[in-house]
Each structure stands twice: as structure tokens, then as C-alpha cells.
Amino acid sequence: MVTGERVCDVGFLSADVELAGTLAIPRRPDPTPGVVMVGGSGPSDRTNDNFFPPIRQHLVEAGFAVLAYDKRGVGASSGDWLAGTIDDFAADAVAALNFLRSQPGVEAETTGLFGHSEGGWVVVRAAARENVPWVVTNGCPGMTPAAQDRHALATALQAIPGVTLHDAEVTLAVYDRLVEAGRRGADFAEATRLVQSFSIPAAVEDLFDEYWSETDEHLWEFTKRKQDHDPIPDVLRLRCPHLATFGGADELVPVADSIGLFATAACHAERHPQATLTVEVFPHANHRVQVRDGTALVSGYLGALTRWITEHIDIDSR
């Protein structure tokens, strides 16, 4: 029985980076399972832009200890996420996992990983390398960042009134050329010249300007390193159950394609027998499984999350 929680700010090391986060542990007489929450892309902090707190609160009330942390270079964490790689972020997730497992009252054997969006790639890589009892991904693409971002751009183009098929094709051609430039190692100056060489259709100028204006030399170099990361080899190496949740109205991720890729991996002949796959799609919910213009988690999500984790905890290890 949970009778409250202890919440504190914590710090722990990942190689030479000091990560800062918030730890919440239920006040209960028995040891508790744990959950490490890993945020999405960009400068995500321990709240993941306020997406995590209601999930954390529900998990704590359900009897789980929860640790969420600032990405390297964000909030109170040292380092620089723009200088990092998926490998670096996975190492950070493992450091968080080991820290949570070491806490008094936390069951190391039943403590697992939850990753949102990019954080899904991160926790799957971590789980492929570490002994983890379970892993949850939310809104995690089953394809590369380059393919996922192209889908998001195409979806955004379709939503602009007056955009023609030609307008969309020209804009996506610019995107494709940028991806190719990144693959051959083009620097930011060359990428900028490439963008300037195209005549962006007037109907999509605002959208493309917003997309490119946020890119500087550091973000360009980060994007080049990350754009062809394929999560499926990590998924194939999983040795634990995997819950993949999606919002059915996600405009950023090709949900059906991602499910297909995860399912194909789950059917691989060399897949570990404990690496089961469960998929939950919540109709009308967005990338953050939220509805009502992104102000509330879709009904049923929190219950499905805690129910699945509870069912997949190794009872024999408790």
C-alpha cells in the first residue's frame, strides 16, 4: 500500500558528465520496482516539457519509484547534448538505471526503462546492451530520424492551405538534398548554400524558414551524426518484453510503418524468446498520447502503461 512519496533532486555520473534529475520513491513497507524516464529530442529536461509529471505521479501512486533527469547540457546537467550521440544518450540512460537500482527500497531486478520519441531509440539501445527486465517506448519511430523527419515535414505541408503537390515536391526535394549533403559530410556553410540555391514556393516559405532558421552549425553537425540511426538492429537484440505505445493521430511519426517494422523484428527467427512485443495505439491522440489540443493524456493510457509493466515484472525475482 502506497502512503505517499519521497521526492528529491539527485545527481549521478555518466562517464565525465554529471546528470541531474528528480527521484520519487513511494513510501511503502515493501521494496518497489523502478522506472527511468528518458526524454525526447532537443534540449529535453526532467519534465520533458511537462509531459512527464502526470505519468510520473501515476507511476508513483501505482507503487513505482521514478527517476527522470535533464539531458546532458540541459537544466542542471553538465555536458552538451549537441555534441552527443545515441550511444552517449544510451550510456546516460544506463547510468540513470544503475543509480535508481542502487537506491534503498528499490528492486534492481524489476527496474526498467521508459523512453519518449527520440528517448525510445535511446532506451532500446540501452536495453539491447544491458540486462533490463522490460522497456517501454512512446511515440518512437521504427525508422531512421531522416525518414521520420521527412514524414513530419510532408504531413506539415499537407496541413497548409493552398499548398500544391508541386510546392510539396519542391520542398521535400530540398530536404532530400540536405540529407544527402549530410551523408557526404557537407559542412554547415555548404548546406546553407544548398538551401539558398532553391526557390522555395511562397506558400511554404514560413514553414521552411522556421525549419531551417533553427539550424546552426552545431545542430547541423548533430543532425548529420544522428540522421541515419536505425533502431531495428537494437530491437532485434532485445532480451526483454517491449511495449510500444503510439497516438493514432501522431503527425510526427509514421505510426503504421513503425508498428510494421517493430512487428517484423519481433518475428525474426533469432529473436530472444523473452523479447515479446506489445503495441498499444490510442486513436485521436497525438505524439504525446494527448488529446484536447494537447492538454490531457488520452483516457486509458496511464492504466494500460502501469498494467503492462506490472504484468511483465518477473514475479520470480521479487
Side-chain angles (χ1 to χ4, degrees):
M1 177 179 179
V2 179
T3 58
E5 62 182 293
R6 292 178 284 122
V7 181
C8 59
D9 292 333
V10 296
F12 52 94
L13 291 175
S14 176
D16 59 347
V17 174
E18 183 170 358
L19 299 171
T22 298
L23 172 63
I25 300 180
R27 296 185 185 276
R28 55 184 293 177
D30 300 321
T32 177
V35 181
V36 172
M37 303 188 74
V38 180
S41 61
S44 56
D45 65 7
R46 68 192 73 183
T47 74
N48 201 83
D49 194 26
N50 294 319
F51 173 50
F52 282 173
I55 302 175
R56 185 198 73 177
Q57 186 63 38
H58 181 84
L59 288 169
V60 172
E61 291 174 355
F64 294 88
V66 181
L67 172 63
Y69 58 94
D70 301 331
K71 184 181 284 189
R72 51 176 61 199
V74 179
S77 291
S78 68
D80 180 5
W81 67 271
L82 285 169
T85 63
I86 295 294
D87 280 330
D88 293 327
F89 302 150
D92 295 346
V94 171
L97 181 69
N98 290 335
F99 176 82
L100 180 56
R101 285 172 164 174
S102 71
Q103 299 307 298
V106 175
E107 285 185 335
E109 301 85 357
T110 57
T111 295
L113 296 165
F114 172 102
H116 170 65
S117 195
E118 177 195 275
W121 292 327
V122 171
V123 298
V124 167
R125 170 145 295 186
R129 297 179 175 182
E130 296 292 319
N131 184 21
V132 179
W134 54 265
V135 63
V136 175
T137 60
N138 181 75
C140 176
M143 63 288 298
T144 67
Q148 179 256 311
D149 283 343
R150 192 183 197 279
H151 169 86
L153 179 59
T155 301
L157 288 167
Q158 293 173 3
I160 300 175
V163 171
T164 66
L165 178 60
H166 174 73
D167 293 339
E169 289 175 344
V170 170
T171 307
L172 290 172
V174 179
Y175 176 84
D176 292 340
R177 291 286 300 277
L178 283 170
V179 170
E180 293 170 3
R183 288 184 181 137
R184 68 169 185 270
D187 61 17
F188 181 61
E190 180 181 346
T192 300
R193 290 194 298 271
L194 175 62
V195 170
Q196 293 172 344
S197 71
F198 278 83
S199 178
I200 304 298
V204 301
E205 274 185 338
D206 289 344
L207 173 66
F208 197 83
D209 285 347
E210 180 180 355
Y211 165 75
W212 186 249
S213 65
E214 296 178 353
T215 304
D216 59 14
E217 182 177 0
H218 298 293
L219 182 55
W220 172 249
E221 293 299 324
F222 174 79
T223 301
K224 287 196 303 183
R225 290 194 302 274
K226 174 184 159 184
Q227 68 177 16
D228 288 322
H229 170 74
D230 183 357
I232 297 305
D234 290 329
V235 172
L236 287 170
R237 288 193 290 269
L238 288 177
R239 302 180 301 280
C240 66
H242 172 200
L243 170 64
T245 61
F246 296 93
D250 190 338
E251 296 180 348
L252 302 180
V253 173
V255 172
D257 291 343
S258 295
I259 293 171
L261 289 164
F262 288 154
T264 299
C267 296
H268 196 280
E270 297 182 4
R271 176 90 159 186
H272 193 282
Q274 292 182 351
T276 59
L277 171 67
T278 303
V279 176
E280 290 272 6
V281 180
F282 296 88
H284 313 298
N286 65 15
H287 185 53
R288 294 185 167 197
V289 288
Q290 295 170 329
V291 290
R292 297 205 301 270
D293 297 324
T295 61
L297 291 166
V298 67
S299 176
Y301 172 73
L302 292 174
L305 175 64
T306 52
R307 183 168 54 252
W308 183 90
I309 297 174
T310 300
E311 290 174 353
H312 287 81
I313 287 173
D314 183 0
I315 301 300
D316 293 336
S317 72
R318 303 191 68 181

